[in-house]
Amino acid sequence: MWSWVLHRITGVAIFFFLLVHILDTALVRVSPEAYNAVISQYQTPIMGLGEVALVGAIVFHAFNGLRIIAIDFWNAKYQRVLFYVVIGLWVVTMLAFVPRHLINVFSH
Amino acid sequence: MSTPTLEKPPAVPEEIQSFTVTLSVRRFVPETDEEPHWENYDVQMYATDRILDALHKIKWEQDGSLSFRRSCAHGICGSDAMRINGRNRLACKTLIKDLDITKPVTVEAIKGLPLEKDLIVDMEPFYASYREVQPFLVANSKPKDGKERIQTVAERERFDDTTKCILCAACTSSCPIFWTDGQYFGPAAIVNAHRFIFDSRDENAAVRLDILNDKEGVWRCRTTFNCTEACPRGIQVTQAIAEVKQAIMRGKP
Ligand code: HEM
Ligand code: SF4
Ligand code: FES
């Protein structure tokens, strides 16, 4: 249940991020000045924290997506173990990413 | 000759401890109520009693208007699936000692099917999906020796798990997809299709796979595993659904 709730929430969240991201990138063709103004906003610490959430969502969605593929094509009996593996991999990935990223964000 | 004497005085039968359990039951009487409401009942229970015993005590001693279904009272007929403390279970298989009785125990009808009265829902949509998957053996050819359709132990084992279903609807009514999309066949219908799709004696697997390849068929399943956790028979429901998905992709069982 919770793996699915998280998968849907992260899936929809990533979708909306991509939608906005495609729109702001498209802005460069409309007005390069407006594009620069928007992109510079991404350099603020608030956005830096937002990026942590975005990467967290993508990493969970990707790992759990592989878990769902394994359930559908291989075996559903190990789903609970696999869910803990997903959480474990997520924690490891985030531990590797978050400190480096935050040092980058706050050293500018 | 000596008269036999008792060496020890007869043991006084130990009093079995009982507890006051509060049941919070979601009541709904269509004739008088606009909305369902929660009502609390205190009952004296032993640790080995079941929620079904508590419901009986309420009905027989406190409020005869309480309505629920039950028949066998031993986990066989599948008529008393209900939502107890937020989880679908059979009332007759839920022991008091397995519940936290420091708080009221909530009891309500299963979700996703039309509520008729108190703990009773209209099971017809559930049975309609069940009927649609042809839950019976289809074998039009003549058996080899003219008498029996012989099956090896391994062939019988292939679908053993899904023969255990008692059609209680605990799985289907625990599925978040079914709650929002009542057209979805639901886990129970797929389990009972699986029972015949993988039966070596059956000849209609292709038809059933085609039925379940529907928009409202197996592809609605999002692998939330609520059904597997709800099944009182311990059937690996999600695994069965995954096997049907794979059979559809292969085009054969
Ligand atoms: C990183 C690689 C990705 C993998 C391995 C992956 C995997 C999956 C899988 C297997 C499903 C099916 C879930 C199910 O059957 O219940 C799914 C659903 C979904 N994905 Fe992804 N996905 C990825 C990236 C993305 C991206 C970039 C987006 C956003 C545009 C996205 C949005 C969604 C949405 C909205 C759902 C539907 C969720 C649901 O039905 O509950 N995914 N994903
Ligand atoms: S699969 Fe299990 S939960 Fe679903 S109807 Fe059959 S016995 Fe009940
Ligand atoms: S009363 Fe028959 S299964 Fe519970």
Side-chain angles (χ1 to χ4, degrees), chain B residues 24-56:
Chain B
S24 191
V25 184
R26 192 163 181 263
R27 303 275 326 249
F28 175 67
V29 183
E31 288 81 20
T32 55
D33 302 345
E34 300 223 327
E35 286 290 316
H37 62 278
W38 293 91
E39 223 157 286
N40 285 5
Y41 303 90
D42 287 339
V43 274
Q44 205 62 26
M45 292 271 107
Y46 295 114
T48 48
D49 278 337
R50 305 151 307 162
I51 287 297
L52 182 63
D53 300 310
L55 292 173
H56 278 152

Coordinates of all heavy atoms in Angstrom, one line a residue, chain B residues 24-56:
Chain B
S24 N -16.7 -0.3 18.4 CA -17.2 0.8 17.8 C -17.7 0.4 16.4 O -16.9 0.1 15.5 CB -16.2 1.9 17.7 OG -16.8 3.1 17.3
V25 N -19.1 0.3 16.3 CA -19.6 -0.3 15.1 C -20.2 0.8 14.2 O -21.0 1.7 14.7 CB -20.7 -1.3 15.4 CG1 -21.2 -2.0 14.1 CG2 -20.2 -2.4 16.4
R26 N -19.9 0.8 12.9 CA -20.5 1.8 12.0 C -21.9 1.3 11.6 O -22.0 0.3 10.8 CB -19.6 2.0 10.8 CG -19.9 3.1 9.9 CD -18.7 3.5 9.0 NE -18.9 4.6 8.1 CZ -19.3 4.5 6.9 NH1 -19.6 3.4 6.3 NH2 -19.5 5.6 6.1
R27 N -22.9 2.0 12.1 CA -24.3 1.5 11.9 C -24.9 2.4 10.8 O -24.7 3.5 10.6 CB -25.1 1.7 13.2 CG -24.6 1.0 14.4 CD -25.0 -0.4 14.5 NE -26.3 -0.7 14.0 CZ -27.4 -1.1 14.7 NH1 -27.2 -1.1 16.1 NH2 -28.5 -1.4 14.2
F28 N -25.8 1.7 10.0 CA -26.5 2.4 9.0 C -27.8 1.7 8.8 O -27.8 0.5 8.4 CB -25.8 2.5 7.7 CG -26.5 3.2 6.6 CD1 -26.9 4.5 6.6 CD2 -26.9 2.4 5.5 CE1 -27.7 5.0 5.6 CE2 -27.6 3.0 4.4 CZ -28.0 4.3 4.5
V29 N -29.0 2.3 9.0 CA -30.3 1.8 8.8 C -30.9 2.6 7.7 O -31.2 3.8 7.9 CB -31.2 1.7 10.0 CG1 -32.5 1.1 9.7 CG2 -30.4 1.0 11.1
P30 N -31.1 2.1 6.5 CA -31.5 3.0 5.3 C -32.8 3.6 5.6 O -33.1 4.7 5.1 CB -31.5 2.0 4.1 CG -31.5 0.6 4.7 CD -30.8 0.7 6.0
E31 N -33.7 3.0 6.4 CA -35.1 3.5 6.6 C -35.0 4.8 7.4 O -35.9 5.7 7.3 CB -36.0 2.5 7.2 CG -36.4 1.3 6.3 CD -35.3 0.3 6.2 OE1 -34.5 0.2 7.1 OE2 -35.4 -0.5 5.3
T32 N -34.1 4.9 8.4 CA -34.1 6.0 9.3 C -32.9 6.9 9.2 O -33.0 8.1 9.5 CB -34.2 5.5 10.7 OG1 -33.2 4.6 11.0 CG2 -35.6 4.8 11.0
D33 N -31.7 6.4 8.8 CA -30.5 7.2 8.8 C -30.2 7.8 7.4 O -30.4 7.1 6.4 CB -29.3 6.3 9.2 CG -29.5 5.6 10.5 OD1 -30.4 6.1 11.3 OD2 -28.7 4.7 10.9
E34 N -29.8 9.0 7.5 CA -29.3 9.6 6.2 C -27.9 9.2 6.0 O -27.5 9.0 4.9 CB -29.4 11.2 6.3 CG -30.8 11.6 6.6 CD -31.2 12.8 5.7 OE1 -30.2 13.6 5.4 OE2 -32.3 12.9 5.3
E35 N -27.1 9.2 7.1 CA -25.6 8.9 7.0 C -25.3 7.8 8.0 O -26.0 7.7 9.0 CB -24.8 10.2 7.4 CG -24.8 11.3 6.3 CD -24.0 10.9 5.1 OE1 -22.9 10.4 5.3 OE2 -24.5 11.1 4.0
P36 N -24.3 7.0 7.7 CA -23.9 6.0 8.7 C -23.3 6.7 9.9 O -22.8 7.9 9.8 CB -22.8 5.2 7.9 CG -22.9 5.5 6.5 CD -23.6 6.9 6.4
H37 N -23.4 6.1 11.0 CA -22.8 6.7 12.2 C -22.2 5.7 13.1 O -22.5 4.5 13.0 CB -23.9 7.5 13.0 CG -25.0 6.6 13.5 ND1 -26.0 6.2 12.7 CD2 -25.1 6.0 14.7 CE1 -26.8 5.4 13.4 NE2 -26.3 5.2 14.6
W38 N -21.2 6.1 14.0 CA -20.5 5.1 14.8 C -21.3 5.0 16.2 O -21.7 5.9 16.8 CB -19.1 5.6 15.1 CG -18.3 5.5 13.8 CD1 -18.1 6.6 12.9 CD2 -17.5 4.4 13.3 NE1 -17.3 6.1 11.9 CE2 -16.9 4.9 12.1 CE3 -17.3 3.1 13.8 CZ2 -16.1 4.0 11.4 CZ3 -16.5 2.3 13.0 CH2 -15.9 2.7 11.8
E39 N -21.4 3.7 16.6 CA -22.0 3.5 17.9 C -21.1 2.6 18.7 O -20.6 1.6 18.2 CB -23.4 2.9 17.7 CG -24.4 3.5 18.6 CD -25.9 3.3 18.1 OE1 -26.2 4.0 17.1 OE2 -26.6 2.4 18.6
N40 N -21.0 2.9 20.0 CA -20.1 2.1 20.9 C -20.9 1.1 21.7 O -22.0 1.4 22.2 CB -19.3 2.9 21.8 CG -18.2 3.6 21.1 OD1 -18.1 3.5 19.9 ND2 -17.3 4.3 21.8
Y41 N -20.4 -0.2 21.9 CA -21.0 -1.2 22.7 C -19.9 -1.8 23.6 O -18.8 -2.1 23.1 CB -21.6 -2.3 21.8 CG -22.6 -1.8 20.8 CD1 -22.2 -1.4 19.5 CD2 -24.0 -1.8 21.2 CE1 -23.2 -1.0 18.6 CE2 -24.9 -1.3 20.2 CZ -24.5 -0.9 19.0 OH -25.4 -0.5 18.1
D42 N -20.2 -2.0 24.9 CA -19.3 -2.7 25.8 C -19.7 -4.1 25.9 O -20.9 -4.4 26.2 CB -19.2 -2.0 27.1 CG -18.5 -0.7 27.1 OD1 -17.7 -0.5 26.2 OD2 -18.7 0.1 28.0
V43 N -18.8 -5.1 25.7 CA -19.1 -6.5 25.8 C -18.0 -7.1 26.7 O -16.8 -6.8 26.6 CB -19.2 -7.2 24.5 CG1 -20.6 -7.1 23.9 CG2 -18.2 -6.7 23.5
Q44 N -18.4 -8.2 27.4 CA -17.4 -8.9 28.2 C -16.9 -10.1 27.4 O -17.7 -10.9 27.0 CB -18.2 -9.4 29.5 CG -17.3 -9.7 30.7 CD -16.5 -8.4 31.2 OE1 -17.0 -7.3 31.0 NE2 -15.4 -8.6 31.8
M45 N -15.6 -10.2 27.2 CA -15.1 -11.2 26.3 C -13.9 -11.9 26.9 O -13.2 -11.3 27.7 CB -14.6 -10.4 25.0 CG -15.6 -9.8 24.1 SD -16.2 -11.0 22.9 CE -17.8 -11.4 23.5
Y46 N -13.7 -13.1 26.4 CA -12.5 -13.9 26.8 C -11.5 -13.6 25.7 O -11.8 -13.3 24.5 CB -12.8 -15.4 26.9 CG -13.7 -15.7 28.0 CD1 -15.0 -16.2 27.8 CD2 -13.3 -15.5 29.4 CE1 -15.8 -16.5 28.9 CE2 -14.1 -15.8 30.4 CZ -15.4 -16.3 30.2 OH -16.2 -16.6 31.2
A47 N -10.2 -13.9 26.0 CA -9.1 -13.6 25.0 C -9.3 -14.5 23.8 O -8.9 -14.1 22.7 CB -7.8 -13.8 25.6
T48 N -9.9 -15.7 24.0 CA -10.0 -16.6 22.9 C -11.3 -16.4 22.1 O -11.6 -17.1 21.1 CB -10.0 -18.0 23.4 OG1 -10.9 -18.1 24.5 CG2 -8.6 -18.4 23.8
D49 N -12.2 -15.4 22.5 CA -13.4 -15.1 21.7 C -13.0 -14.4 20.5 O -11.9 -13.9 20.3 CB -14.3 -14.2 22.6 CG -15.1 -15.1 23.5 OD1 -15.3 -16.3 23.3 OD2 -15.6 -14.5 24.6
R50 N -13.9 -14.4 19.5 CA -13.7 -13.7 18.3 C -14.6 -12.5 18.1 O -15.6 -12.4 18.8 CB -13.9 -14.7 17.1 CG -13.1 -16.0 17.3 CD -13.8 -17.2 16.6 NE -15.1 -17.3 17.1 CZ -16.0 -18.1 16.5 NH1 -15.7 -18.7 15.4 NH2 -17.2 -18.2 17.0
I51 N -14.3 -11.7 17.2 CA -15.2 -10.5 16.9 C -16.6 -10.9 16.6 O -17.5 -10.3 17.0 CB -14.6 -9.6 15.8 CG1 -13.3 -8.9 16.3 CG2 -15.6 -8.6 15.3 CD1 -13.6 -7.9 17.5
L52 N -16.7 -12.1 15.9 CA -18.1 -12.6 15.6 C -18.8 -12.8 16.9 O -20.0 -12.5 17.0 CB -18.0 -13.8 14.8 CG -19.3 -14.4 14.3 CD1 -20.1 -13.4 13.4 CD2 -19.2 -15.7 13.6
D53 N -18.2 -13.4 18.0 CA -18.8 -13.6 19.2 C -19.3 -12.3 19.9 O -20.4 -12.2 20.4 CB -17.9 -14.3 20.2 CG -17.4 -15.7 19.7 OD1 -18.3 -16.5 19.2 OD2 -16.2 -15.9 19.6
A54 N -18.4 -11.3 19.7 CA -18.8 -9.9 20.2 C -20.0 -9.4 19.5 O -20.9 -8.9 20.2 CB -17.6 -9.0 20.1
L55 N -20.1 -9.6 18.2 CA -21.2 -9.1 17.5 C -22.5 -9.9 17.9 O -23.6 -9.3 18.0 CB -21.0 -9.2 16.0 CG -19.9 -8.3 15.4 CD1 -19.7 -8.7 13.9 CD2 -20.3 -6.8 15.5
H56 N -22.4 -11.2 18.1 CA -23.5 -12.0 18.6 C -24.0 -11.5 19.9 O -25.2 -11.3 20.1 CB -23.0 -13.4 18.7 CG -23.1 -14.2 17.4 ND1 -22.3 -15.3 17.1 CD2 -23.8 -14.0 16.3 CE1 -22.5 -15.7 15.9 NE2 -23.5 -15.0 15.4

